[in-house]
Structures are given as structure tokens and as C-alpha cells.
Amino acid sequence: MPRQHGPRRARITFSDSAAKQLENITSEADIHALDRALVVISVDPDVGEPLPGTSAGPQLREYADDVERVRILYWISVLQTVVVVAYIEV
């Protein structure tokens, strides 16, 4: 019997500034909250709200989880296989 796979996830990458923000997160609770938010985005990259902007570059999106108190700004590759995190707020 073939093995069932879950939904395909997008790969998460970080911009240089987001990677620096990530390095400064030291609280284990904040790391877990951020991890949960990144899983949500990787499973459904369209979950965030589009931010107003121009059509010249990628569409920036915002995902905010008020319960976990996490905010992430990101954009999605054309094929929705890569999510680039631009900003993290925990």
C-alpha cells in the first residue's frame, strides 16, 4: 500500500536581516512560537495578508499570530516552493 504524504511544504529561507534577527532570539518560548508560525506559512504560504506595494518586486505578505505574539513579513517564490522571510517580530 502506498504511503500517504501530507501537504507539500514550501522551503523557508531568511533574508540577511531576518537571519540576524533570528540569531538574537534566545528565549526558548519565542523560538517555539516562531517555529510554529513558520510551519503554518510553509504549509500554506498564502495564509498571510498581502501588504500594499508596487508590482515591481515580489508581493510582501504579513502573517501575525496574536496568540503566540509572532509577526513575520515574507514573500513567496513564483511557484510557491520557497518562502523568504524578510522580518521577524517575537
Side-chain angles (χ1 to χ4, degrees):
M1 179 175 229
R3 201 166 119 176
Q4 295 287 332
H5 292 284
R8 185 175 182 100
R9 291 182 175 187
R11 188 178 64 153
I12 301 287
T13 62
F14 297 91
S15 68
D16 290 341
S17 60
K20 287 179 186 174
Q21 290 174 309
L22 188 59
E23 290 174 1
N24 293 329
I25 297 174
T26 56
S27 163
E28 195 167 323
D30 289 347
I31 291 170
H32 287 293
L34 178 61
D35 187 50
R36 286 189 288 270
L38 292 173
V39 167
V40 169
I41 293 171
S42 72
V43 171
D44 182 9
D46 291 321
V47 72
E49 297 293 322
L51 295 177
T54 65
S55 61
Q59 174 69 53
L60 197 58
R61 303 182 73 85
E62 175 184 26
Y63 173 77
D65 185 331
D66 295 331
V67 173
E68 297 288 349
R69 296 175 36 189
V70 174
R71 182 173 170 243
I72 300 172
L73 300 182
Y74 65 98
W75 69 87
I76 310 165
S77 68
V78 174
L79 298 176
Q80 294 193 336
T81 56
V82 178
V83 171
V84 180
V85 175
Y87 175 79
I88 301 167
E89 188 174 289
V90 181

